[in-house]
Structures are given as C-alpha cells and as structure tokens.
Amino acid sequence: MRKHFFGDTAVLLGRSLRHITRSLDTIITTTIMPIAFMLLFVYVFGGAINSGSDSYVTYLLPGILIITIASGISYTAFRLFLDMKSGIFERFQSMPIARSSVLWAHVLTSLVANLISLAVVVLVALVMGFRSGAGVLAWLAVAGILILFTLALTWIAVIPGLSAKSADGASAFAYPLIILPFVSSAFVPTHTMPGPVRAFAEHQPVTSVVNAIRDLFTQQPVGTDIWIALAWCVGILIVAYIFAMVIYRRRIS
Amino acid sequence: MIASRYTSYAYIGNKVLEMTTKVAQLAVRPRTTPEPGAGTAEQRHRSRRGQRTVMKVRTDMQTTANRVQGPAIHVKGLEKSYKKLEVLRGVDFDVARGSIFALLGSNGAGKTTVVKILSTLLKADAGTASVDGFDVATHAAAVRESISLTGQFAAVDEILSGRENLVLVAQLRHVRYPGTIAEDLLDRFSLTDAAARKVSTYSGGMRRRLDIAMSLIGNPQVIFLDEPTAGLDPQARIEVWRAVKELAEHGTTVLLTTQYLDEAEQLADRIAILHDGRIIVNGTLTELQQLLPPAKVEYVEKQPTLEDVFLAIVGDDGLDGDARSDPASARTTKE
C-alpha cells in the first residue's frame, strides 16, 4: 500500500482543505483570540509595560503568533475527533489505501490552516504599526520556526483528537498551551518576574521560540536562543509523534 | 409488538421445554456447511407449507456454489474481549458467495465487533476469519481490497456534497474515471438532484443511500452493512432494503447486522443469531421457523414470525418457563 501514500495523502488533504475553505469561520475564530490579546496588550496594558523596545506591537507579535498556533491546533484535534466519531475514519481505514495517509492529511491540513491564520494575524499587526526590517532569509527563518512549532503542537493535538470522548475534551487540551506564552518573555521581559516564576519562564519552550523570532524580526544576532528553540520544537515533535502513533496503532489494530 | 409477543408466548406456551431441547441440539451441531441431507428435508418442508419457494431455490444454488468456490466469509472460533468483558466467545459461521447473510442480535451482542474484525479494524483474541479467501489477520491489505464497510452511523462527509463524497472514495480506491462512476451511482440511488448539495442537508434515508453507494465503488466482493436501517423511517428502510437486494442480485456478498427481525426476514438468505458471544442458531428463515412446533391448533392462524423465534430462543434469563407458561395457561382457560 506504500506506493499510494502520497496520492492518498493528497486526495485526503484536498478533502480537509475543502472543509477549511467551506467553513472559513473556523480560521477566523482561531485568529480572533490572538488579535484580541494583541489589541488589549498594545492599546490597554501596553502603555504601562516597559518592554525596553520602541514599538510594543513589534515586541509582542512573536508571542501572539505562538498563541495563534496554540488556538489553531485545537481545531486540528476537533476535526480529527469529528472524523473518528462520524465513522468516516473507520471507513477510510477499511479501504485499500495507505492507512497512515489519513493522519498525515490531518497534520498537513493543520499546517495549512495555521499558516493562513498566522498570515491574518501578521496583517493585523502591520495595520497596528508592526514594522520589521528583516530580510528574506530572516523571514524564511521565522517561517521555518513557526512551521516546526506548528508541527510539534499538531502532533500533540493528534493525541486528544484520537482519544477524546467528547468534542469539548478534544479541544480543551489547547488551553494550557494558550496560557503558556503569558509565563514567558512574550508579553514582558522575564527579568521583571519573581525568582521561581522567572526560572520557569526562562526555561520553557515559548521563551526561546519567542526570543528567536523577536531577534530575527529586529535584526539582532539570534545567539543560542534559536538552537534552544529548534531543540525544543524537534524534541516536542518527536515525543508527541511517538505518543500519537502509539494511540493511533491502538485505535486501528 | 408487545401484543404480538404475548400472543406468541401464548402460542408457544407449554411447548417451551420441547423447543429449548431442540435449540440446544441445534446449537451443538456444527453448522459450517449445509449438510447434504438438508436439501431434501427442506423440500419436504416446502411441499408441506408451499411457500417461500423462491428463497429455497436460491439456497440450493448457494449450497452448490459453496462447494465449488468456498465461502465468501469464513469465521471459526472467533473470540474477543474488551478488558474483562467477553464479547465473542467462539463465533463460527460461513457466508456463501452472492448471498445475503443476516447477523441478528440484541444491542451489545457483539455484532459490530464481528464486523470490525472482518473489516480489519479490530484484531481478534483467538480464532480465524477469512474474507474472499484472505485471512483478516495476516492478509489485511488483501481483505481491504475485497470488502467495503458501511458502518453503524452513515460514514459520509457532511461538508462535502454527495458527488464529492463519491468522487473522494473513487479516488481513494484508485478506480478510473471517478467522475463517471459518481454520476452512475448518483443516478442508481436517485441522488442526482441532490448531488451538488452538502450532505448535511440530506435526510437520513438519502444519507444511507449515499453511504451504500460509496461502498459499491470499486466493486468489492463482500459488503458489510452494520445496522443499515438503524434510525430510519419505514419509507427509507424500504429504500435501503431495495438497494441491498439489488446488490445481491449483482452477485455481491452481503453480511448485514440488524436488530430488526423483519429486516432479516425480508432480506436474508441465511440468518444467524448471535447471543452471549456465540452463534446459537444459523439457518434459513424456514429452518428457523421449524425450531418452533408447527401450528397444530386450528385457532392459531399466525405462523411464528422470526421475532417469535428470536425471542423464544434467546430468552430472557430468569424468565424462562414460568413467566411464559402463564399467558399460555390463561389462554387455555379462556377456551
């Protein structure tokens, strides 16, 4: 069945992408919360926050992009859950197709949907005054980090998508991921935080990812942050993938 | 339904013991292939009752086909437990090619489990099963080439249109001209008018028809229909029945599970009753009807329906005997 893997994945990806284009509201919904946070922090709290940079929206955007991905992947889990529940997952699994293409189609759909959401959020930020002198390479590096981060979180999302008992359960896992950027360098510099909180903030993945993207946007030398960020992304990706595959095997055996 | 059940209890009455013995004998006897003598017994039976001739002829044909080609589905000693719950405890049955086989049982009897094992979605704990000559455990990919599964809930994509659903399955089955096939099937299942509409706007019957149409793509040898008419209104049920009958006429083997007894009575060439994790009876409708004593008493006009057969042999644990003979004696007193 291997020979059909790419063809089958493409067909199933086409199916999920149609879902997205037909219910664009799911993409809009995932971008509403990050955009609301961005408005709130830039125009309400921003004046009181000393971020140490000229433009707070520029300082804030990397963290908002992380929140966008975290809220976007809850739809990945939701879409997968609906497929499990409606029985169409079983229909696909009982057909002579490359079985894993069903899962890969969902993963790739998640990637596409999140990239659209990210583009929307960046556009809003541009309207709000976000400016970056970053070159093409730096933008590509940002895109690369965001894609890797999306893939890592998507494989986390596959786990509840396959195993949840209810639609709420399938998407609830994303809430802690949405909160995580708040305890990082995304909104305020970490050195203002009390000891233990600071220690946590500085050693969790969001901070390194945010710092790396911020440095790329502001044309600062990225230093070690980018390698720590990549290590986190790849590490999460591998662990989540292994767990997701274990659950997947259990579901289809 | 309750009324008829009581009538049948009255009718069964004091014969319960005798019948239970018969069932027990039947359950013990291996039933993998029809015995050579069965045909003559059936013929005698046919001449006595003079009905259901058509079905009988078909059964005879299957018996021959069975010997020549081997069964389309062969299940032997199938066992499956979910943790400590033993769902299947040694299930045996064969399904002849081109026939409609109904697996009958109450909710939770394990019908869906059998279907899932046969469609390679679940692994059995013990026993063997093969479909179209391929073992479901060792040749799962080959089995998936031969089958189509229509699950308990119409597994269609709600957001896509009817046509898109058919094209999707056609593409996944790698058949040529997916578009043409979709149009043909839309026409055959009277869905052409609704072809461009989102499936979420379809009625239950239309959804089921689309579901079955999707199963036909790629001409699978064997089709599993897991409770195809659950939750459908009578009109939609008849539509689905017509579709299933048509399948068998085209030579497709159909294994259908149902808890509706009239459905099995309407459609199936052979009926097996799954109860307590085992097949307790397996035969044609007439054979099953014979399990009950023939109507000797003039005033009972009704032949035992399959529902009577089912309820009587499945029984309600603890209600055997006393509870049943009560209405019977009431009836006798009334005379």
Side-chain angles (χ1 to χ4, degrees), chain B residues 116-138:
Chain B
K116 281 193 173 176
I117 291 172
L118 290 176
S119 51
T120 75
L121 293 172
L122 206 61
K123 281 195 178 73
D125 296 337
T128 56
S130 63
V131 177
D132 203 20
F134 301 107
D135 189 288
V136 293
T138 55

Side-chain angles (χ1 to χ4, degrees), chain A residues 50-82:
Chain A
N50 182 7
S51 64
S53 70
D54 303 337
S55 152
Y56 185 58
V57 67
T58 305
Y59 180 87
L60 190 63
L61 185 62
I64 294 295
L65 294 178
I66 299 298
I67 292 182
T68 308
I69 295 172
S71 86
I73 52 145
S74 67
Y75 270 97
T76 303
F78 182 65
R79 278 192 293 266
L80 187 53
F81 170 77
L82 285 189

Side-chain angles (χ1 to χ4, degrees), chain A residues 1 8 11-13 15-16 19 79-80 82-84 86-103 105-106 248 252, chain B residues 119-121 144 147-149 151 155-157 160 164-173 214:
Chain A
M1 289 306 114
D8 292 342
V11 170
L12 289 167
L13 176 63
R15 161 185 177 256
S16 311
H19 285 196
R79 278 192 293 266
L80 187 53
L82 285 189
D83 270 11
M84 297 291 295
S86 71
I88 205 158
F89 189 87
E90 287 191 338
R91 160 165 254 144
F92 291 146
Q93 297 297 332
S94 71
M95 284 171 58
I97 62 170
R99 278 183 150 192
S100 56
S101 61
V102 180
L103 215 49
H106 272 282
Y248 173 72
I252 63 158
Chain B
S119 51
T120 75
L121 293 172
R144 289 198 282 271
I147 62 159
S148 233
L149 166 68
V156 291
D157 191 313
L160 301 185
E164 286 169 333
N165 265 288
L166 291 165
V167 170
L168 173 72
V169 172
Q171 286 174 334
L172 287 175
R173 280 210 170 246
M214 283 160 79

Side-chain angles (χ1 to χ4, degrees), chain B residues 312-330:
Chain B
I313 54 192
V314 163
D316 290 321
D317 291 345
L319 283 177
D320 281 16
D322 288 356
R324 276 189 202 155
S325 46
D326 278 345
S329 51

Side-chain angles (χ1 to χ4, degrees), chain A residues 58 130-139 215-220:
Chain A
T58 305
F130 163 75
R131 292 293 178 267
S132 166
V136 177
L137 269 181
W139 273 102
D215 289 344
L216 287 165
F217 275 155
T218 55
Q219 294 148 287
Q220 304 289 313

